Amino acid sequence: MEEPSGAMGCFSQLLHMPHEVCAGIVWSLGVEDTAKLASSCKLFAQETTDAELWFQLFLRTCWPPSGALLAFAEGTTTPVGIDWRHRMQVRMESTPTIVVDMGRGYTKFTVAHGVRGRWEMDGCPPELVQLCSSPTHPPDCDRNEQLSYIHHRLDRTFLDAATDPSHRLHKAALGPRSELKVDQYAVYRTPTAAGANLVLVRLLQHCKEENLWSVEAVKRRSEKPFKVGPEELTPMRRAHDLPILIGEPFVITANRDANSQSSWDSLIRSQLGNNRPGAVQVVSQAQMALWAHGLDHGIVVNIGQQQTIAMPVLRGEVIASCSTTCNIGSADLTQVMVSLMHRKAPSLDSSLMTWCRDLKEEYCYVSPPAGNMTLRARLAAGDDFGIRPVPVELPNFARGEQSTVELAEERVIVPEVLFESNRGPRQTLPQIIVECASMVHSKGTYTQEDVRDLLRQVVLVGGAADFPGIRPRVEYEMRCLLQRAENQQLSSCCESTDDVYVLNPPLDRSSNPLVSPRFVPLFGGCVRAASSAGYGELQRDKNTGALRSLPLQAEDLEPGEDGGLRRRLMWQRRISGMLALQLPNIFRTGGGGGEDDQVWQEFFESDEEMGAPDESASLACSEESPQSPDNASSSHSHASPARSGRCATKGRGKGKGKRKGSDASRGRSRRIWRPVPGAQGDEE
């Protein structure tokens, strides 16, 4: 038989292509290319009916870039039996959501979408509304007007985004054509030789007989109005058209009673209005912070502007009556920095509070425990505690005889205020967390497992939670507190006092931080808002509030041409691993879930090359570094926050500091840190 030639020959070879090759080609494509291929080739169209293909496309396409958080957002840990193609379509067609994290000093906001994700992209800070004031930085608006101010800022942004296809809010700024209304803005698409030109116009009048709209160009008001067909117009959205998810401040949740709740709700209603088209949802910021870690159960600690609050959330329910408070916050830490800097440069006063705040955020870090002595006592005794001085320039108008000052012990003294137990009757940061768990335990209405999970799932949020080293320090001191006799009943809920964890912020698939602790509640709100079910309709067990695993459907177990039961069970096992079912573990120290993994692992500081570790000694002692028992084989390795040069780096890289390899003979080994009792600050 003669071999077919030309196109028929190619098609014949295509028919003999193995299924694995066809599937491999389709799986390497994006959503749009997959749709084009399916509509033009019957052979590949069969591959696009594969449920596993759409699950893979869902993971690659939808936001956030974390299989574990996507599983949490979709309310399932079992991918089989779910129409992932439909869920992705719902995400693509959904209206973006405004997410607001309301604060006292600063309010954060963003726009989130199920596919495009956060407006600013991951790793970038969200938009801020400054509510606090200083002599050099007045507030953006009054606290009673912040939601109105956010809507105003978004409306101005939408004006630019509507006619700029490259803007990340371009699609969010455009609404359905059915919403064309008089006096509203719209985008008129005018054909040009180069393609299409987008012009922002205002709708003046609609002529029903001609089915034409009379419009005028917004940026060219001198031109006369003209008429266009409705098919050439796309209405522009306003911020009040979008759904909004508002994070209720910790202090409001903690003091929840009829008066405070009614007052705060009235404030929200007065700013949003009663006729807002977009839906409004209010949720506790403590819950939002846990959502960022794929959880509905844990203790969330907010280091706020004026105070620090520890709040328990049990199976999705906030237990406000068990909240504990420490009357110190970020503003107090800034005041301590102002006082310390005034001693070094008398020309500095409270008018430079913002400058001192920036110093605090850029150069400070939390030191390892100082042992039996306080940190101030050790510094006063002449122990430099491994601190590397950093010179900083004074502002021009504050310079006298000196142009620079040196930051040294100030770098650790400022954040140490959160851990000092000798400053009056107030409790330290670790103490209010332990007391919070103890109050839940003393209620007697929750199981030991509930209390144990609270201690294993602690999340720190707020500006001061960005200090490098704060999470392992809190974790260490909580374990020490649980070893005391007065906490024996509480510690009995855990198998070991080492079974206590302060969770790290989430990473993406490339191990890059998705968000810093300062913005974790906002990020968690985005995770929920991006769900295909929205933020209020996830499938949850009515009794526990926990994520519910969907069982295999009967049709999933029937043998078929594609391999039937064996293939589907293999798929379920493989995908379950991708979804990281043990969600809390990946956020623990050593679990690959954040930038502070092994932050106090032994390191050496060389005189010749600052921050270069003695690799041979480090490897020899690495078994002593604290790791999660479930994740002892983690490959993440980070230097201590006390490495000085790295601490001066501002932003989300703070505290990460991956180690460089170096020869053991290079330089002199100065100090080793070990976060174990009796070993802190030992000289090597």
Side-chain angles (χ1 to χ4, degrees), residues 208-226:
K208 295 183 179 179
E209 292 78 10
E210 301 177 293
N211 192 25
L212 296 176
W213 278 92
S214 176
V215 302
E216 66 174 357
V218 173
K219 296 183 179 180
R220 299 192 295 268
R221 294 293 178 92
S222 58
E223 296 183 2
K224 294 182 179 180
F226 55 96

Side-chain angles (χ1 to χ4, degrees), residues 437 451-458 478 482 490 494 500-501:
V451 178
R452 181 202 65 186
D453 287 345
L454 287 179
L455 294 170
R456 301 176 79 193
Q457 295 164 191
V458 177
M478 285 180 61
L482 288 175
L490 181 61
C494 305
V500 171
Y501 299 97

Side-chain angles (χ1 to χ4, degrees), residues 532-561:
S532 61
Y535 42 67
E537 302 174 5
L538 292 185
Q539 299 186 45
R540 301 202 168 267
D541 190 294
K542 294 181 180 179
N543 297 321
T544 66
L547 289 175
R548 188 173 68 188
S549 298
L550 300 182
L552 286 173
Q553 303 297 319
E555 58 269 21
D556 296 324
L557 301 177
E558 294 294 333
E561 296 180 359

